[in-house]
Amino acid sequence: AQRVTQPEKLLSVFKGAPVELKCNYSYSGSPELFWYVQYSRQRLQLLLRHISRESIKGFTADLNKGETSFHLKKPFAQEEDSAMYYCALSGRGYQKVTFGTGTKLQVIP
Amino acid sequence: DTGVSQDPRHKITKRGQNVTFRCDPISEHNRLYWYRQTLGQGPEFLTYFQNEAQLEKSRLLSDRFSAERPKGSFSTLEIQRTEQGDSAMYLCASSPTASGNEQFFGPGTRLTVL
């Protein structure tokens, strides 16, 4: 079975502070990990995926297979980062995607 | 084509009624997914189509739920004999084969069962 755990429902940080959104997963094979974001009144959209190894909007995420984690990080939070963030997992070449329960990031001006 | 579209955006119905939702994916995308999202939860996978073939169904998809994609383009999700527990946001997503598992989501249909 595949499972994604996001332990924080809400994370509040001040503008300019570092951000770390936690994600842990359970999967027996080779996972593909994603972060999706939903801004207020907008649809869910892909932020980044681990195989791309990109930095999107200043966010990065590293897959740690030993700790089965895929935490999302940004060194300096901006007000426009306030949104709902979902960690998601699928198997390689397998289409079912399992989402976590989401973390609401609130950046305080 | 500005993205995945869903119709209607909101649906209020009485318990026991049937409802049908429509999803139009991005035109060149051959994969289509349905999810259900309730308050405080992430999207939960319901079913997945590759072209017109329904390749996987979740255990969440009881026999009151049926999904079709008859011509490999738009899809419909029907819920028969709705129950209050069916109240949720129903999300559709699509992806092209070459994108791996990156999915493009629609705005969702919010169902309220009274």
Side-chain angles (χ1 to χ4, degrees), chain B residues 91-112:
Chain B
L91 296 169
C92 176
S94 70
S95 70
T97 307
S99 77
N101 287 332
E102 177 181 356
Q103 299 181 13
F104 297 80
F105 281 83
T109 294
R110 181 168 294 284
L111 173 65
T112 302

mmCIF file of all heavy atoms in Angstrom, chain B residues 91-112:
data_model
loop_
_atom_site.group_PDB
_atom_site.id
_atom_site.type_symbol
_atom_site.label_atom_id
_atom_site.label_comp_id
_atom_site.label_asym_id
_atom_site.label_seq_id
_atom_site.Cartn_x
_atom_site.Cartn_y
_atom_site.Cartn_z
ATOM 1 N N LEU B 91 -12.889 16.084 -8.452
ATOM 2 C CA LEU B 91 -11.853 16.670 -9.294
ATOM 3 C C LEU B 91 -11.547 15.758 -10.470
ATOM 4 O O LEU B 91 -11.504 14.535 -10.326
ATOM 5 C CB LEU B 91 -10.565 16.872 -8.492
ATOM 6 C CG LEU B 91 -10.628 17.859 -7.332
ATOM 7 C CD1 LEU B 91 -9.369 17.749 -6.482
ATOM 8 C CD2 LEU B 91 -10.786 19.273 -7.845
ATOM 9 N N CYS B 92 -11.314 16.364 -11.596
ATOM 10 C CA CYS B 92 -10.869 15.649 -12.783
ATOM 11 C C CYS B 92 -9.468 16.152 -13.129
ATOM 12 O O CYS B 92 -9.160 17.341 -12.926
ATOM 13 C CB CYS B 92 -11.831 15.913 -13.934
ATOM 14 S SG CYS B 92 -11.362 15.180 -15.504
ATOM 15 N N ALA B 93 -8.632 15.277 -13.627
ATOM 16 C CA ALA B 93 -7.287 15.657 -14.055
ATOM 17 C C ALA B 93 -6.961 14.905 -15.336
ATOM 18 O O ALA B 93 -7.531 13.843 -15.608
ATOM 19 C CB ALA B 93 -6.262 15.341 -12.972
ATOM 20 N N SER B 94 -6.063 15.451 -16.123
ATOM 21 C CA SER B 94 -5.621 14.761 -17.328
ATOM 22 C C SER B 94 -4.111 14.887 -17.471
ATOM 23 O O SER B 94 -3.489 15.763 -16.844
ATOM 24 C CB SER B 94 -6.325 15.301 -18.574
ATOM 25 O OG SER B 94 -5.905 16.610 -18.896
ATOM 26 N N SER B 95 -3.553 14.007 -18.259
ATOM 27 C CA SER B 95 -2.123 14.088 -18.535
ATOM 28 C C SER B 95 -1.822 13.415 -19.862
ATOM 29 O O SER B 95 -2.518 12.492 -20.277
ATOM 30 C CB SER B 95 -1.302 13.437 -17.416
ATOM 31 O OG SER B 95 -1.460 12.033 -17.416
ATOM 32 N N PRO B 96 -0.767 13.893 -20.543
ATOM 33 C CA PRO B 96 -0.328 13.189 -21.747
ATOM 34 C C PRO B 96 0.543 12.007 -21.349
ATOM 35 O O PRO B 96 1.118 11.994 -20.264
ATOM 36 C CB PRO B 96 0.494 14.258 -22.481
ATOM 37 C CG PRO B 96 1.019 15.144 -21.399
ATOM 38 C CD PRO B 96 -0.005 15.118 -20.295
ATOM 39 N N THR B 97 0.660 11.038 -22.205
ATOM 40 C CA THR B 97 1.428 9.837 -21.890
ATOM 41 C C THR B 97 2.878 10.158 -21.557
ATOM 42 O O THR B 97 3.463 9.571 -20.668
ATOM 43 C CB THR B 97 1.391 8.855 -23.077
ATOM 44 O OG1 THR B 97 0.050 8.623 -23.424
ATOM 45 C CG2 THR B 97 2.079 7.549 -22.718
ATOM 46 N N ALA B 98 3.428 11.137 -22.263
ATOM 47 C CA ALA B 98 4.859 11.408 -22.128
ATOM 48 C C ALA B 98 5.233 12.154 -20.867
ATOM 49 O O ALA B 98 6.401 12.325 -20.574
ATOM 50 C CB ALA B 98 5.335 12.201 -23.343
ATOM 51 N N SER B 99 4.258 12.620 -20.102
ATOM 52 C CA SER B 99 4.577 13.475 -18.951
ATOM 53 C C SER B 99 4.841 12.680 -17.696
ATOM 54 O O SER B 99 5.029 13.257 -16.637
ATOM 55 C CB SER B 99 3.431 14.458 -18.685
ATOM 56 O OG SER B 99 2.367 13.791 -18.031
ATOM 57 N N GLY B 100 4.829 11.374 -17.786
ATOM 58 C CA GLY B 100 4.943 10.606 -16.561
ATOM 59 C C GLY B 100 3.667 10.762 -15.786
ATOM 60 O O GLY B 100 2.584 10.620 -16.340
ATOM 61 N N ASN B 101 3.759 11.081 -14.523
ATOM 62 C CA ASN B 101 2.557 11.183 -13.712
ATOM 63 C C ASN B 101 2.161 12.610 -13.382
ATOM 64 O O ASN B 101 1.359 12.834 -12.480
ATOM 65 C CB ASN B 101 2.733 10.371 -12.430
ATOM 66 C CG ASN B 101 2.661 8.887 -12.708
ATOM 67 O OD1 ASN B 101 2.011 8.475 -13.646
ATOM 68 N ND2 ASN B 101 3.349 8.100 -11.916
ATOM 69 N N GLU B 102 2.687 13.609 -14.086
ATOM 70 C CA GLU B 102 2.247 14.978 -13.851
ATOM 71 C C GLU B 102 0.821 15.117 -14.347
ATOM 72 O O GLU B 102 0.514 14.755 -15.484
ATOM 73 C CB GLU B 102 3.125 15.981 -14.577
ATOM 74 C CG GLU B 102 2.634 17.418 -14.415
ATOM 75 C CD GLU B 102 3.491 18.410 -15.149
ATOM 76 O OE1 GLU B 102 4.519 17.998 -15.723
ATOM 77 O OE2 GLU B 102 3.131 19.602 -15.155
ATOM 78 N N GLN B 103 -0.036 15.631 -13.515
ATOM 79 C CA GLN B 103 -1.444 15.745 -13.845
ATOM 80 C C GLN B 103 -1.889 17.201 -13.815
ATOM 81 O O GLN B 103 -1.424 17.995 -12.998
ATOM 82 C CB GLN B 103 -2.273 14.919 -12.870
ATOM 83 C CG GLN B 103 -1.913 13.439 -12.946
ATOM 84 C CD GLN B 103 -2.719 12.575 -12.010
ATOM 85 O OE1 GLN B 103 -3.726 12.996 -11.445
ATOM 86 N NE2 GLN B 103 -2.293 11.339 -11.859
ATOM 87 N N PHE B 104 -2.808 17.525 -14.718
ATOM 88 C CA PHE B 104 -3.359 18.869 -14.842
ATOM 89 C C PHE B 104 -4.811 18.809 -14.375
ATOM 90 O O PHE B 104 -5.615 18.081 -14.960
ATOM 91 C CB PHE B 104 -3.257 19.342 -16.295
ATOM 92 C CG PHE B 104 -1.840 19.449 -16.771
ATOM 93 C CD1 PHE B 104 -1.140 18.320 -17.185
ATOM 94 C CD2 PHE B 104 -1.198 20.672 -16.803
ATOM 95 C CE1 PHE B 104 0.183 18.406 -17.611
ATOM 96 C CE2 PHE B 104 0.111 20.780 -17.239
ATOM 97 C CZ PHE B 104 0.800 19.639 -17.638
ATOM 98 N N PHE B 105 -5.119 19.584 -13.363
ATOM 99 C CA PHE B 105 -6.413 19.476 -12.704
ATOM 100 C C PHE B 105 -7.431 20.483 -13.230
ATOM 101 O O PHE B 105 -7.094 21.612 -13.619
ATOM 102 C CB PHE B 105 -6.250 19.678 -11.190
ATOM 103 C CG PHE B 105 -5.744 18.454 -10.494
ATOM 104 C CD1 PHE B 105 -4.400 18.166 -10.466
ATOM 105 C CD2 PHE B 105 -6.628 17.580 -9.887
ATOM 106 C CE1 PHE B 105 -3.923 17.022 -9.839
ATOM 107 C CE2 PHE B 105 -6.167 16.439 -9.247
ATOM 108 C CZ PHE B 105 -4.810 16.161 -9.233
ATOM 109 N N GLY B 106 -8.684 20.068 -13.182
ATOM 110 C CA GLY B 106 -9.791 20.972 -13.438
ATOM 111 C C GLY B 106 -10.185 21.701 -12.165
ATOM 112 O O GLY B 106 -9.619 21.453 -11.092
ATOM 113 N N PRO B 107 -11.181 22.596 -12.265
ATOM 114 C CA PRO B 107 -11.586 23.387 -11.107
ATOM 115 C C PRO B 107 -12.429 22.609 -10.111
ATOM 116 O O PRO B 107 -12.612 23.055 -8.978
ATOM 117 C CB PRO B 107 -12.395 24.519 -11.729
ATOM 118 C CG PRO B 107 -12.945 23.925 -12.983
ATOM 119 C CD PRO B 107 -11.896 22.975 -13.485
ATOM 120 N N GLY B 108 -12.937 21.462 -10.534
ATOM 121 C CA GLY B 108 -13.747 20.650 -9.625
ATOM 122 C C GLY B 108 -15.231 20.934 -9.727
ATOM 123 O O GLY B 108 -15.661 22.004 -10.177
ATOM 124 N N THR B 109 -16.017 19.936 -9.316
ATOM 125 C CA THR B 109 -17.465 20.078 -9.148
ATOM 126 C C THR B 109 -17.775 19.828 -7.679
ATOM 127 O O THR B 109 -17.463 18.763 -7.146
ATOM 128 C CB THR B 109 -18.240 19.058 -10.001
ATOM 129 O OG1 THR B 109 -18.045 19.333 -11.381
ATOM 130 C CG2 THR B 109 -19.732 19.116 -9.674
ATOM 131 N N ARG B 110 -18.371 20.833 -7.033
ATOM 132 C CA ARG B 110 -18.725 20.672 -5.621
ATOM 133 C C ARG B 110 -20.137 20.126 -5.521
ATOM 134 O O ARG B 110 -21.087 20.763 -5.974
ATOM 135 C CB ARG B 110 -18.619 21.988 -4.866
ATOM 136 C CG ARG B 110 -18.959 21.826 -3.375
ATOM 137 C CD ARG B 110 -18.591 23.017 -2.544
ATOM 138 N NE ARG B 110 -17.165 23.250 -2.479
ATOM 139 C CZ ARG B 110 -16.302 22.555 -1.753
ATOM 140 N NH1 ARG B 110 -16.726 21.538 -1.004
ATOM 141 N NH2 ARG B 110 -15.021 22.863 -1.756
ATOM 142 N N LEU B 111 -20.269 18.945 -4.944
ATOM 143 C CA LEU B 111 -21.567 18.296 -4.776
ATOM 144 C C LEU B 111 -22.023 18.423 -3.331
ATOM 145 O O LEU B 111 -21.255 18.102 -2.403
ATOM 146 C CB LEU B 111 -21.475 16.808 -5.141
ATOM 147 C CG LEU B 111 -22.729 15.965 -4.841
ATOM 148 C CD1 LEU B 111 -23.898 16.423 -5.706
ATOM 149 C CD2 LEU B 111 -22.452 14.478 -5.037
ATOM 150 N N THR B 112 -23.249 18.882 -3.156
ATOM 151 C CA THR B 112 -23.884 18.924 -1.845
ATOM 152 C C THR B 112 -25.143 18.084 -1.899
ATOM 153 O O THR B 112 -26.023 18.331 -2.735
ATOM 154 C CB THR B 112 -24.251 20.362 -1.434
ATOM 155 O OG1 THR B 112 -23.057 21.163 -1.427
ATOM 156 C CG2 THR B 112 -24.876 20.394 -0.055
#
